[in-house]
């Protein structure tokens, strides 16, 4: 069996995802065959693997950090919120239905439909088995599936770096936990707790996290990793020494605050705003003008990371907006993906954004819709699946009619657009019937694959298409021409290279600021023996 480690956090967004990615990149540099793992993820940012399975984008990013191909084994349970109380449950990369939080975490509640019949034999069988367990009534029944996935990874890789969710000390959920200490206990994994010191209260958070765990859980918590520290580490060391004295557990490093990482995480829009969109400096444009991109912050926004490739372009300024006046100076308006197309359409109308977008289209000013954003730009929507709203009139900016199918499309398409090669991925229930306009993405024979263009309005189901450098530059040239801007795309920008630089930066943070010798001993040998119990422990 290979080595392993679980990265837990004192809170959500403490830095678990980036620390996991950083450790994966550091190990990969050492020649270690390493894989990431997250048993259960709640996120609207997802990705499609080559075998057609849907997983969290954070795990796909971590797989890239590990220099391995992402698979469904790395994220067997994905919850995609559809509102305050319900989520679509994706098991082994396949959707199995909608479920309330109460149903998922405790009381019985059947999933609405079986896994996709289009799944591969292995994936379909795995999803069906997991779906049967879920329909049995309780979340802990999925633990067998989670542990089987982890065992398969550990049987293949030298090390598996697991990411927890939220906090391991969520005492109301411990009985049914399959992502934090539930995994650690059953798989015998040592646990490293990450704390965000930039928020304050990190020592109390570290101590309280351990003190609210049972004796058996505490025995696996090896120590702490401080994240997002600003200033002189020497001033922090006395506190770390005192924490060691109080808990018997050491610090494994202090990672400095790092601006503009722009790495895919799972916890919402604020991550992207802090990272690739707002904190990264906008480089000087190659041409005389900059381009301003306004992204409508629609409800249940999904895969908003699509615009990160635009933000990486020198001279392109990207911002998220929720008021019509914020569209006035935009050269391009993007309506992104959403888990609630009809809800997003209603929101755009209520806020006056729909009228503002329609005026732009009438004036020949560029608009791009992606996935759900593409669907709501069409003539009408028939939805008896996602919102169950039936017939809904769209914005009428594209000659497209959308019907929601029960089966979800999960694909990794390849095609051409604007004379350039394009790759993307599809995650949607809506099926588009294009009745006019021009094809957006085509095959090498010119046959339409996806999307539509009418004047200066474009729409596509393909996420990630803007990461194709040649296509992105060609598209921005079209936008600049339509907007009357003397903007010139930088000829040498490589989004893939920029992403690799960011992942290398994460590896650098671990290599330079963590005790890597101690970290490797932890991964290889497990938690130290004889760690003291810190009262009171978990409530009985």
């Amino acid at each position: 069996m290979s080595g392993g480690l679980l990265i837990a956090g004192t809170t959500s967004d403490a830095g678990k995802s980036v620390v996991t990615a950083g450790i994966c990149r550091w190990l990969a540099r050492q020649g270690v065959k390493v894989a990431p793992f997250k048993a259960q993820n709640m996120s609207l940012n997802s990705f499609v693997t080559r075998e057609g399975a849907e997983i969290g984008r954070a795990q796909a990013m971590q797989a890239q950090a590990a220099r391995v191909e992402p698979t469904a084994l790395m994220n067997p349970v994905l919850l995609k919120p559809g509102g305050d109380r319900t989520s679509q449950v994706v098991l082994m990369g396949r959707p199995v239905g909608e479920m309330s939080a109460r149903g998922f975490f405790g009381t019985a509640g059947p999933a609405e439909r079986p896994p996709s019949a289009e799944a591969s034999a292995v994936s379909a069988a795995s999803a069906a088995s997991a779906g049967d367990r879920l329909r049995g009534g309780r979340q802990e029944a999925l633990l067998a599936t989670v542990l089987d996935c982890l065992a398969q990874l550990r049987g293949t890789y030298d090390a598996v770096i697991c990411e927890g969710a939220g906090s391991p000390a969520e005492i109301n959920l411990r009985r049914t936990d399959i992502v934090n200490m539930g995994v650690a206990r059953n798989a015998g994994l040592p646990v490293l707790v990450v704390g965000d010191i930039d928020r304050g209260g990190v020592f109390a958070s570290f101590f309280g996290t351990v003190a609210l765990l049972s004796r058996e859980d505490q025995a696996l918590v090896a120590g702490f990793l401080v994240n997002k520290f600003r200033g002189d580490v020497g001033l922090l060391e006395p506190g770390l020494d005192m924490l060691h004295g109080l808990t018997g557990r050491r610090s494994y490093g202090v990672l400095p605050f790092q601006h503009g990482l722009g790495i895919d995480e799972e916890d919402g829009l604020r991550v992207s705003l802090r990272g690739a969109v707002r904190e990264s400096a906008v480089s000087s444009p190659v041409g005389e003008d900059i381009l301003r991109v306004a992204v409508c912050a629609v409800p249940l926004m999904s895969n908003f990371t699509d615009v990160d490739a635009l933000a990486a372009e020198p001279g392109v300024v990207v911002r998220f907006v929720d008021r019509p006046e914020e569209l006035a100076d935009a050269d391009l308006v993007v309506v992104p993906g959403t888990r609630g197309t009809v809800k997003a359409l209603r929101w755009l109308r209520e806020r006056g954004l729909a009228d503002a977008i329609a005026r732009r289209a009438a004036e020949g000013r560029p608009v791009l819709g992606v996935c759900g954003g593409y669907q709501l730009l069409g003539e009408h929507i028939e939805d008896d699946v996602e919102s169950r709203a039936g017939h809904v009139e769209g914005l009428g900016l594209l000659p497209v009619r959308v019907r929601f199918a029960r089966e979800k499309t999960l694909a990794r398409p390849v095609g051409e657009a604007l004379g350039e090669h394009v790759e993307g991925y599809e995650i949607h229930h809506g099926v588009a019937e294009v009745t006019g306009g021009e094809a957006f993405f085509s095959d090498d024979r010119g046959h339409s694959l996806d999307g539509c263009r009418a004047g200066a309005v474009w729409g596509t189901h393909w996420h990630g298409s803007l990461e194709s450098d040649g296509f992105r530059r060609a598209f921005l040239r079209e936008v600049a021409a339509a907007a009357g801007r003397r903007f010139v795309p930088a000829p040498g920008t490589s989004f893939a290279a920029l992403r690799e630089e960011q992942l290398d930066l994460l590896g650098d943070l671990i290599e330079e600021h963590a005790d890597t010798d101690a970290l490797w001993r932890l991964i290889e040998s497990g938690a130290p023996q004889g760690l003291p119990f810190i009262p009171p422990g978990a409530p009985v």
Side-chain angles (χ1 to χ4, degrees):
M1 188 64 72
S2 71
L5 175 65
L6 176 73
I7 304 297
T10 55
T11 62
S12 294
D13 198 27
K16 298 183 294 291
S17 294
V18 294
V19 167
T20 300
I23 293 174
C24 284
R25 177 50 60 101
W26 161 64
L27 288 172
R29 286 173 175 172
Q30 313 306 311
V32 177
K33 189 178 179 183
V34 58
F37 177 79
K38 184 161 186 172
Q40 175 187 303
N41 199 343
M42 178 173 282
S43 179
L44 288 174
N45 277 341
S46 59
F47 182 76
V48 179
T49 67
R50 293 204 181 278
E51 71 266 27
E54 184 179 7
I55 66 172
R57 273 196 69 99
Q59 280 60 67
M61 174 271 293
Q62 290 161 356
Q64 185 177 351
R67 296 174 177 157
V68 297
E69 190 67 32
T71 73
L73 292 174
M74 297 173 184
N75 181 205
V77 182
L78 173 64
L79 306 179
K80 302 192 72 176
D84 291 338
R85 297 186 178 184
T86 62
S87 292
Q88 183 181 66
V89 182
V90 179
L91 298 178
M92 295 303 297
R94 305 290 166 180
V96 296
E98 300 281 333
M99 183 166 282
S100 69
R102 182 177 294 273
F104 188 77
F105 286 105
T107 59
E112 294 178 351
R113 56 192 172 85
S116 168
E118 298 173 359
S120 67
V122 174
S123 295
S126 299
S129 175
D132 288 343
R133 293 190 181 101
L134 182 60
R135 284 184 283 274
R138 294 196 176 273
Q139 187 194 26
E140 62 263 31
L142 292 175
L143 186 60
T145 297
V146 165
L147 293 176
D148 179 62
C149 291
L150 179 56
Q152 288 186 57
L153 291 174
R154 297 183 77 183
T156 304
Y157 292 89
D158 300 327
V160 178
I161 308 303
C162 307
E163 179 189 345
S167 162
E170 291 170 348
I171 53 180
N172 56 315
L173 301 177
R174 176 61 185 92
R175 181 178 60 84
T176 57
D177 171 44
I178 64 168
V179 64
N180 289 307
M181 301 311 299
V183 169
R185 281 271 294 279
N186 281 276
L189 295 173
V191 177
L192 194 61
V193 180
V194 177
D196 179 357
I197 196 170
D198 196 53
R199 294 182 173 187
V202 74
F203 292 118
S205 298
F206 280 146
F207 184 88
T209 296
V210 178
L212 280 177
L213 300 178
S214 69
R215 186 180 298 273
E216 294 79 8
D217 286 351
Q218 286 192 25
L220 293 173
V221 179
F224 313 106
L225 187 69
V226 177
N227 192 28
K228 302 180 187 176
F229 179 72
R230 308 173 192 246
D232 183 354
V233 175
L235 299 176
L236 187 66
E237 288 174 347
L240 296 174
D241 291 340
M242 286 185 274
L243 183 66
H244 188 188
L246 288 168
T247 66
R249 290 158 175 86
R250 55 164 297 174
S251 166
Y252 281 76
V254 178
L255 307 184
F257 192 100
Q258 183 69 51
H259 287 276
L261 287 174
I263 294 295
D264 300 338
E265 292 192 77
E266 65 191 44
D267 289 327
L269 171 63
R270 56 201 170 94
V271 176
S272 186
L273 291 180
R274 278 205 316 273
V277 177
R278 282 193 177 166
E279 282 197 354
S280 57
V282 177
S283 302
S284 299
V286 175
E288 297 179 42
D289 286 344
I290 64 171
L291 275 186
R292 295 177 176 86
V293 179
V295 185
C296 296
V298 297
L300 299 174
M301 183 162 41
S302 61
N303 287 63
F304 50 80
T305 48
D306 283 335
V307 300
D308 285 352
L310 295 178
E313 280 287 341
V316 176
V317 180
V318 179
R319 65 184 187 275
F320 286 83
V321 303
D322 59 7
R323 296 177 298 180
E325 56 267 27
E326 294 178 293
L327 305 187
D329 67 344
D331 302 304
L332 170 66
V333 169
V334 177
V335 187
T338 171
R339 240 293 263 152
T341 302
V342 171
K343 183 175 183 178
L345 181 57
R346 184 168 58 246
W347 181 87
L348 288 170
R349 286 180 167 137
E350 289 171 349
R351 296 218 164 211
L353 285 160
D355 289 339
I357 292 170
R359 285 194 298 271
R360 288 184 61 89
E363 296 165 359
R365 302 174 66 197
V367 177
L368 170 66
V370 181
C371 200
Y374 166 41
Q375 295 166 4
L376 61 81
L377 292 178
E379 296 170 353
H380 67 252
I381 298 167
E382 295 289 341
D383 182 10
D384 295 318
V385 176
E386 188 176 78
S387 68
R388 297 180 175 84
H391 182 91
V392 178
E393 292 297 318
L395 296 186
L397 304 183
L398 289 173
V400 174
R401 299 166 185 170
V402 176
R403 174 185 56 83
F404 272 69
R406 291 200 172 274
E407 293 298 328
K408 180 185 281 191
T409 297
L410 297 170
R412 290 278 292 272
V414 176
E416 295 180 356
L418 305 178
E420 299 287 347
H421 176 79
V422 188
E423 297 183 15
Y425 56 99
E426 295 184 67
I427 307 170
H428 55 92
H429 285 283
V431 178
E433 177 190 359
V434 179
T435 61
E438 304 172 37
F440 197 177
F441 297 126
S442 305
D443 62 19
D444 56 6
R445 296 181 180 180
H447 298 146
S448 177
L449 294 176
D450 179 78
C452 179
R453 176 182 182 179
V457 181
W458 294 267
T460 177
H461 276 127
W462 291 15
H463 294 290
S465 63
L466 292 167
E467 295 180 19
S468 298
D469 297 326
F471 165 69
R472 182 180 65 255
R473 287 192 280 268
F475 177 69
L476 289 176
R477 283 192 290 269
E478 293 260 345
V479 168
R485 295 287 186 186
R486 289 172 292 186
F487 170 84
V488 179
T493 302
S494 167
F495 186 76
L498 291 173
R499 176 53 56 87
E500 278 297 304
E501 289 177 10
Q502 292 171 325
L503 295 173
D504 277 332
L505 178 57
L506 293 182
D508 293 342
L509 289 174
I510 297 299
E511 191 167 336
E512 296 170 10
H513 301 282
D515 186 338
T516 52
D517 288 340
L519 195 58
W520 177 246
R521 287 196 299 272
L522 193 62
I523 293 169
E524 190 175 40
S525 304
Q529 296 297 308
L531 292 169
F533 171 71
I534 308 301
V540 177

